[in-house]
PDB file of all heavy atoms in Angstrom:
ATOM      1  N   TYR A  68      22.094  22.577  -2.737  1.00 91.00           N
ATOM      2  CA  TYR A  68      22.708  22.468  -4.058  1.00 91.00           C
ATOM      3  C   TYR A  68      21.760  21.838  -5.073  1.00 91.00           C
ATOM      4  O   TYR A  68      21.526  22.383  -6.164  1.00 91.00           O
ATOM      5  CB  TYR A  68      23.992  21.644  -3.963  1.00 91.00           C
ATOM      6  CG  TYR A  68      24.553  21.244  -5.315  1.00 91.00           C
ATOM      7  CD1 TYR A  68      25.087  22.198  -6.170  1.00 91.00           C
ATOM      8  CD2 TYR A  68      24.521  19.926  -5.734  1.00 91.00           C
ATOM      9  CE1 TYR A  68      25.591  21.842  -7.418  1.00 91.00           C
ATOM     10  CE2 TYR A  68      25.024  19.556  -6.978  1.00 91.00           C
ATOM     11  CZ  TYR A  68      25.557  20.515  -7.814  1.00 91.00           C
ATOM     12  OH  TYR A  68      26.052  20.160  -9.043  1.00 91.00           O
ATOM     13  N   TYR A  69      21.190  20.678  -4.737  1.00 94.00           N
ATOM     14  CA  TYR A  69      20.346  19.985  -5.709  1.00 94.00           C
ATOM     15  C   TYR A  69      19.020  20.700  -5.935  1.00 94.00           C
ATOM     16  O   TYR A  69      18.365  20.483  -6.963  1.00 94.00           O
ATOM     17  CB  TYR A  69      20.119  18.529  -5.275  1.00 94.00           C
ATOM     18  CG  TYR A  69      21.288  17.645  -5.653  1.00 94.00           C
ATOM     19  CD1 TYR A  69      22.136  17.132  -4.676  1.00 94.00           C
ATOM     20  CD2 TYR A  69      21.551  17.348  -6.982  1.00 94.00           C
ATOM     21  CE1 TYR A  69      23.221  16.346  -5.021  1.00 94.00           C
ATOM     22  CE2 TYR A  69      22.630  16.553  -7.338  1.00 94.00           C
ATOM     23  CZ  TYR A  69      23.464  16.045  -6.352  1.00 94.00           C
ATOM     24  OH  TYR A  69      24.537  15.272  -6.695  1.00 94.00           O
ATOM     25  N   CYS A  70      18.618  21.566  -5.001  1.00 95.00           N
ATOM     26  CA  CYS A  70      17.434  22.402  -5.255  1.00 95.00           C
ATOM     27  C   CYS A  70      17.713  23.350  -6.414  1.00 95.00           C
ATOM     28  O   CYS A  70      16.856  23.564  -7.278  1.00 95.00           O
ATOM     29  CB  CYS A  70      17.058  23.190  -3.999  1.00 95.00           C
ATOM     30  SG  CYS A  70      16.563  22.158  -2.591  1.00 95.00           S
ATOM     31  N   HIS A  71      18.915  23.918  -6.437  1.00 94.00           N
ATOM     32  CA  HIS A  71      19.297  24.790  -7.548  1.00 94.00           C
ATOM     33  C   HIS A  71      19.401  23.997  -8.848  1.00 94.00           C
ATOM     34  O   HIS A  71      18.973  24.468  -9.917  1.00 94.00           O
ATOM     35  CB  HIS A  71      20.636  25.462  -7.248  1.00 94.00           C
ATOM     36  CG  HIS A  71      20.573  26.515  -6.182  1.00 94.00           C
ATOM     37  ND1 HIS A  71      20.313  27.836  -6.461  1.00 94.00           N
ATOM     38  CD2 HIS A  71      20.729  26.431  -4.842  1.00 94.00           C
ATOM     39  CE1 HIS A  71      20.318  28.533  -5.335  1.00 94.00           C
ATOM     40  NE2 HIS A  71      20.571  27.702  -4.342  1.00 94.00           N
ATOM     41  N   VAL A  72      19.971  22.807  -8.760  1.00 95.00           N
ATOM     42  CA  VAL A  72      20.136  21.991  -9.960  1.00 95.00           C
ATOM     43  C   VAL A  72      18.778  21.619 -10.549  1.00 95.00           C
ATOM     44  O   VAL A  72      18.560  21.713 -11.766  1.00 95.00           O
ATOM     45  CB  VAL A  72      20.944  20.712  -9.637  1.00 95.00           C
ATOM     46  CG1 VAL A  72      20.967  19.776 -10.844  1.00 95.00           C
ATOM     47  CG2 VAL A  72      22.363  21.068  -9.224  1.00 95.00           C
ATOM     48  N   MET A  73      17.846  21.209  -9.680  1.00 97.00           N
ATOM     49  CA  MET A  73      16.538  20.796 -10.191  1.00 97.00           C
ATOM     50  C   MET A  73      15.763  21.980 -10.752  1.00 97.00           C
ATOM     51  O   MET A  73      14.999  21.825 -11.720  1.00 97.00           O
ATOM     52  CB  MET A  73      15.726  20.101  -9.098  1.00 97.00           C
ATOM     53  CG  MET A  73      14.507  19.369  -9.642  1.00 97.00           C
ATOM     54  SD  MET A  73      13.883  18.123  -8.508  1.00 97.00           S
ATOM     55  CE  MET A  73      12.670  17.324  -9.573  1.00 97.00           C
ATOM     56  N   GLN A  74      15.967  23.152 -10.180  1.00 97.00           N
ATOM     57  CA  GLN A  74      15.325  24.329 -10.757  1.00 97.00           C
ATOM     58  C   GLN A  74      15.812  24.556 -12.187  1.00 97.00           C
ATOM     59  O   GLN A  74      15.021  24.772 -13.106  1.00 97.00           O
ATOM     60  CB  GLN A  74      15.598  25.576  -9.920  1.00 97.00           C
ATOM     61  CG  GLN A  74      14.949  26.826 -10.518  1.00 97.00           C
ATOM     62  CD  GLN A  74      15.411  28.111  -9.878  1.00 97.00           C
ATOM     63  OE1 GLN A  74      16.476  28.162  -9.269  1.00 97.00           O
ATOM     64  NE2 GLN A  74      14.626  29.169 -10.014  1.00 97.00           N
ATOM     65  N   GLU A  75      17.131  24.501 -12.364  1.00 96.00           N
ATOM     66  CA  GLU A  75      17.703  24.763 -13.681  1.00 96.00           C
ATOM     67  C   GLU A  75      17.295  23.700 -14.696  1.00 96.00           C
ATOM     68  O   GLU A  75      16.937  24.012 -15.832  1.00 96.00           O
ATOM     69  CB  GLU A  75      19.222  24.836 -13.581  1.00 96.00           C
ATOM     70  CG  GLU A  75      19.912  25.134 -14.907  1.00 96.00           C
ATOM     71  CD  GLU A  75      21.422  25.220 -14.781  1.00 96.00           C
ATOM     72  OE1 GLU A  75      21.923  25.237 -13.640  1.00 96.00           O
ATOM     73  OE2 GLU A  75      22.104  25.273 -15.813  1.00 96.00           O
ATOM     74  N   GLU A  76      17.327  22.433 -14.257  1.00 97.00           N
ATOM     75  CA  GLU A  76      17.061  21.336 -15.190  1.00 97.00           C
ATOM     76  C   GLU A  76      15.577  21.150 -15.487  1.00 97.00           C
ATOM     77  O   GLU A  76      15.202  20.845 -16.624  1.00 97.00           O
ATOM     78  CB  GLU A  76      17.621  20.035 -14.632  1.00 97.00           C
ATOM     79  CG  GLU A  76      19.135  19.967 -14.562  1.00 97.00           C
ATOM     80  CD  GLU A  76      19.623  18.650 -13.988  1.00 97.00           C
ATOM     81  OE1 GLU A  76      18.785  17.874 -13.456  1.00 97.00           O
ATOM     82  OE2 GLU A  76      20.828  18.382 -14.068  1.00 97.00           O
ATOM     83  N   SER A  77      14.739  21.317 -14.443  1.00 98.00           N
ATOM     84  CA  SER A  77      13.329  20.954 -14.580  1.00 98.00           C
ATOM     85  C   SER A  77      12.360  22.120 -14.453  1.00 98.00           C
ATOM     86  O   SER A  77      11.501  22.323 -15.314  1.00 98.00           O
ATOM     87  CB  SER A  77      12.966  19.878 -13.541  1.00 98.00           C
ATOM     88  OG  SER A  77      13.644  18.670 -13.801  1.00 98.00           O
ATOM     89  N   PHE A  78      12.484  22.898 -13.403  1.00 98.00           N
ATOM     90  CA  PHE A  78      11.462  23.911 -13.140  1.00 98.00           C
ATOM     91  C   PHE A  78      11.559  25.110 -14.080  1.00 98.00           C
ATOM     92  O   PHE A  78      10.617  25.894 -14.186  1.00 98.00           O
ATOM     93  CB  PHE A  78      11.521  24.359 -11.688  1.00 98.00           C
ATOM     94  CG  PHE A  78      11.271  23.240 -10.709  1.00 98.00           C
ATOM     95  CD1 PHE A  78      11.999  23.134  -9.533  1.00 98.00           C
ATOM     96  CD2 PHE A  78      10.305  22.284 -10.969  1.00 98.00           C
ATOM     97  CE1 PHE A  78      11.777  22.104  -8.650  1.00 98.00           C
ATOM     98  CE2 PHE A  78      10.072  21.235 -10.080  1.00 98.00           C
ATOM     99  CZ  PHE A  78      10.811  21.138  -8.920  1.00 98.00           C
ATOM    100  N   GLN A  79      12.691  25.243 -14.758  1.00 97.00           N
ATOM    101  CA  GLN A  79      12.804  26.272 -15.776  1.00 97.00           C
ATOM    102  C   GLN A  79      12.625  25.699 -17.184  1.00 97.00           C
ATOM    103  O   GLN A  79      12.806  26.410 -18.168  1.00 97.00           O
ATOM    104  CB  GLN A  79      14.163  26.983 -15.655  1.00 97.00           C
ATOM    105  CG  GLN A  79      14.285  27.790 -14.368  1.00 97.00           C
ATOM    106  CD  GLN A  79      15.621  28.502 -14.234  1.00 97.00           C
ATOM    107  OE1 GLN A  79      16.573  28.194 -14.939  1.00 97.00           O
ATOM    108  NE2 GLN A  79      15.695  29.462 -13.322  1.00 97.00           N
ATOM    109  N   ASP A  80      12.237  24.433 -17.246  1.00 97.00           N
ATOM    110  CA  ASP A  80      12.025  23.756 -18.526  1.00 97.00           C
ATOM    111  C   ASP A  80      10.555  23.886 -18.925  1.00 97.00           C
ATOM    112  O   ASP A  80       9.646  23.609 -18.132  1.00 97.00           O
ATOM    113  CB  ASP A  80      12.409  22.280 -18.387  1.00 97.00           C
ATOM    114  CG  ASP A  80      12.163  21.506 -19.662  1.00 97.00           C
ATOM    115  OD1 ASP A  80      13.029  21.548 -20.550  1.00 97.00           O
ATOM    116  OD2 ASP A  80      11.085  20.877 -19.765  1.00 97.00           O
ATOM    117  N   GLU A  81      10.308  24.294 -20.160  1.00 97.00           N
ATOM    118  CA  GLU A  81       8.937  24.532 -20.597  1.00 97.00           C
ATOM    119  C   GLU A  81       8.108  23.261 -20.617  1.00 97.00           C
ATOM    120  O   GLU A  81       6.913  23.281 -20.318  1.00 97.00           O
ATOM    121  CB  GLU A  81       8.936  25.208 -21.966  1.00 97.00           C
ATOM    122  CG  GLU A  81       9.555  26.600 -21.953  1.00 97.00           C
ATOM    123  CD  GLU A  81       9.385  27.326 -23.276  1.00 97.00           C
ATOM    124  OE1 GLU A  81       8.693  26.774 -24.158  1.00 97.00           O
ATOM    125  OE2 GLU A  81       9.931  28.426 -23.421  1.00 97.00           O
ATOM    126  N   GLY A  82       8.725  22.143 -20.971  1.00 98.00           N
ATOM    127  CA  GLY A  82       7.986  20.882 -20.999  1.00 98.00           C
ATOM    128  C   GLY A  82       7.544  20.445 -19.606  1.00 98.00           C
ATOM    129  O   GLY A  82       6.410  19.987 -19.416  1.00 98.00           O
ATOM    130  N   ILE A  83       8.423  20.573 -18.639  1.00 98.00           N
ATOM    131  CA  ILE A  83       8.064  20.238 -17.265  1.00 98.00           C
ATOM    132  C   ILE A  83       6.989  21.204 -16.764  1.00 98.00           C
ATOM    133  O   ILE A  83       6.014  20.796 -16.113  1.00 98.00           O
ATOM    134  CB  ILE A  83       9.302  20.308 -16.352  1.00 98.00           C
ATOM    135  CG1 ILE A  83      10.311  19.210 -16.730  1.00 98.00           C
ATOM    136  CG2 ILE A  83       8.899  20.188 -14.884  1.00 98.00           C
ATOM    137  CD1 ILE A  83       9.824  17.798 -16.489  1.00 98.00           C
ATOM    138  N   ALA A  84       7.166  22.494 -17.055  1.00 97.00           N
ATOM    139  CA  ALA A  84       6.183  23.485 -16.618  1.00 97.00           C
ATOM    140  C   ALA A  84       4.805  23.176 -17.186  1.00 97.00           C
ATOM    141  O   ALA A  84       3.784  23.296 -16.484  1.00 97.00           O
ATOM    142  CB  ALA A  84       6.635  24.879 -17.037  1.00 97.00           C
ATOM    143  N   GLU A  85       4.737  22.788 -18.452  1.00 97.00           N
ATOM    144  CA  GLU A  85       3.452  22.460 -19.065  1.00 97.00           C
ATOM    145  C   GLU A  85       2.777  21.309 -18.337  1.00 97.00           C
ATOM    146  O   GLU A  85       1.572  21.338 -18.076  1.00 97.00           O
ATOM    147  CB  GLU A  85       3.658  22.109 -20.541  1.00 97.00           C
ATOM    148  CG  GLU A  85       2.362  21.843 -21.285  1.00 97.00           C
ATOM    149  CD  GLU A  85       2.594  21.567 -22.764  1.00 97.00           C
ATOM    150  OE1 GLU A  85       3.768  21.615 -23.194  1.00 97.00           O
ATOM    151  OE2 GLU A  85       1.604  21.304 -23.478  1.00 97.00           O
ATOM    152  N   ARG A  86       3.563  20.296 -17.993  1.00 97.00           N
ATOM    153  CA  ARG A  86       2.997  19.151 -17.261  1.00 97.00           C
ATOM    154  C   ARG A  86       2.475  19.573 -15.889  1.00 97.00           C
ATOM    155  O   ARG A  86       1.373  19.216 -15.480  1.00 97.00           O
ATOM    156  CB  ARG A  86       4.072  18.069 -17.093  1.00 97.00           C
ATOM    157  CG  ARG A  86       4.483  17.366 -18.376  1.00 97.00           C
ATOM    158  CD  ARG A  86       5.693  16.488 -18.124  1.00 97.00           C
ATOM    159  NE  ARG A  86       5.988  15.564 -19.205  1.00 97.00           N
ATOM    160  CZ  ARG A  86       6.758  15.863 -20.245  1.00 97.00           C
ATOM    161  NH1 ARG A  86       7.289  17.085 -20.355  1.00 97.00           N
ATOM    162  NH2 ARG A  86       6.995  14.961 -21.175  1.00 97.00           N
ATOM    163  N   LEU A  87       3.298  20.323 -15.151  1.00 98.00           N
ATOM    164  CA  LEU A  87       2.912  20.729 -13.807  1.00 98.00           C
ATOM    165  C   LEU A  87       1.692  21.649 -13.825  1.00 98.00           C
ATOM    166  O   LEU A  87       0.759  21.492 -13.026  1.00 98.00           O
ATOM    167  CB  LEU A  87       4.084  21.426 -13.116  1.00 98.00           C
ATOM    168  CG  LEU A  87       5.210  20.525 -12.611  1.00 98.00           C
ATOM    169  CD1 LEU A  87       6.408  21.357 -12.156  1.00 98.00           C
ATOM    170  CD2 LEU A  87       4.720  19.646 -11.463  1.00 98.00           C
ATOM    171  N   ASN A  88       1.683  22.605 -14.720  1.00 97.00           N
ATOM    172  CA  ASN A  88       0.592  23.582 -14.750  1.00 97.00           C
ATOM    173  C   ASN A  88      -0.722  22.972 -15.203  1.00 97.00           C
ATOM    174  O   ASN A  88      -1.802  23.416 -14.779  1.00 97.00           O
ATOM    175  CB  ASN A  88       0.959  24.747 -15.676  1.00 97.00           C
ATOM    176  CG  ASN A  88       2.151  25.538 -15.172  1.00 97.00           C
ATOM    177  OD1 ASN A  88       2.455  25.534 -13.980  1.00 97.00           O
ATOM    178  ND2 ASN A  88       2.839  26.221 -16.080  1.00 97.00           N
TER     179      ASN A  88
END
Side-chain angles (χ1 to χ4, degrees):
Y68 169 69
Y69 279 110
C70 296
H71 289 270
V72 173
M73 193 160 189
Q74 179 191 22
E75 181 179 350
E76 292 180 349
S77 294
F78 299 140
Q79 293 180 345
D80 178 83
E81 295 187 5
I83 294 294
E85 184 177 359
R86 291 171 168 88
L87 284 171
N88 296 337

